[in-house]
Amino acid sequence: LSIKDALIHLYWWALDVKRDTIKEQTSLSSPNTLTDWNSFSRELAVNYSKGLPAIGGRNPDGTRKIVEIDETRLTLRKYHRGRQVSNGFWLVGGVERGKSDRFFFIRVKKRDKKTLWKTIRQFVLPGSHIMTDCWSGYGDLDTCRGKDYKHDVVIHKRHFVRPDNRLVHAQTIESMW
């Protein structure tokens, strides 16, 4: 496969374009080859996310970096339409606000408090200011096993940006899903 076709494939794959379109745009005419390249692309994405350094922490002036954390369930649809045909899987992600463009996404088996706290301790540095929605699994993050986190919550049933403090929201991570 030429580098040009490999890059075109990755581009269309990342945009979740239908297989037929990818076949038309590249020299990947064999269904088996296309399946192999789709699997390879998924493997690259997973391996990339595993090697990411932790995000957040404190700025040089001692202020806390803001990290938004959220979870989502990804499901599959047959031919990208109609009802869901798979139970899907859970992703937990975090994004550091500001100019750093640092983030993480990790697939988890469940989204319970134990799993979320383990993920946060692994990917978010102590000293961070964490923003989440009000799901109970995030409860008491300020005391997450001795880690120094500040935790603010936005209640999406009431508003998407807290009116008393416009900095408290999870819009950055929500838009990444």
Side-chain angles (χ1 to χ4, degrees):
L1 190 66
S2 72
I3 290 180
K4 177 183 174 187
D5 280 342
L7 291 174
I8 291 171
H9 170 268
L10 282 171
Y11 175 76
W12 290 118
W13 175 83
L15 292 176
D16 197 25
V17 170
K18 292 181 183 177
R19 292 170 59 99
D20 292 339
T21 304
I22 294 173
K23 276 192 338 189
E24 291 171 9
Q25 298 293 324
T26 65
S27 63
L28 294 169
S29 56
S30 162
N32 291 341
T33 305
L34 187 55
T35 300
D36 288 346
W37 271 91
N38 286 344
S39 296
F40 175 68
S41 299
R42 276 191 300 277
E43 189 176 322
L44 277 176
V46 167
N47 287 340
Y48 174 77
S49 67
K50 284 181 181 175
L52 293 175
I55 63 175
R58 292 190 182 262
N59 291 308
D61 65 0
T63 58
R64 297 174 187 266
K65 293 183 181 179
I66 297 174
V67 176
E68 296 177 24
I69 296 177
D70 193 30
E71 79 290 333
T72 191
R73 185 164 190 87
L74 295 183
T75 60
L76 302 174
R77 295 176 189 268
K78 193 170 185 176
Y79 306 116
H80 301 286
R81 43 183 120 115
R83 67 178 179 80
Q84 297 172 351
V85 295
S86 166
N87 289 334
F89 56 90
W90 286 103
L91 280 180
V92 174
V95 61
E96 183 179 304
R97 280 196 205 158
K99 297 180 182 178
S100 73
D101 293 327
R102 294 169 26 147
F103 67 93
F104 73 88
F105 293 112
I106 185 167
R107 185 175 175 170
V108 294
K109 290 183 181 178
K110 30 185 187 173
R111 66 171 187 149
D112 61 348
K113 186 175 191 173
K114 181 180 175 184
T115 303
L116 288 172
W117 281 27
K118 179 182 174 188
T119 303
I120 290 167
R121 284 192 313 272
Q122 180 180 356
F123 289 100
V124 181
L125 293 170
S128 301
H129 186 169
I130 297 175
M131 311 250 175
T132 66
D133 58 22
C134 67
W135 189 69
S136 62
Y138 297 117
D140 303 324
L141 268 177
D142 294 351
T143 61
C144 184
R145 297 228 181 125
K147 297 288 185 174
D148 173 30
Y149 298 120
K150 181 176 184 212
H151 182 215
D152 271 311
V153 174
V154 62
I155 301 170
H156 287 157
K157 286 183 179 179
R158 295 186 194 154
H159 37 254
F160 291 102
V161 177
R162 258 193 18 207
D164 63 329
N165 183 349
R166 310 257 332 137
L167 290 176
V168 179
H169 64 79
Q171 298 302 294
T172 312
I173 187 70
E174 292 282 356
S175 68
M176 290 184 84
W177 297 132

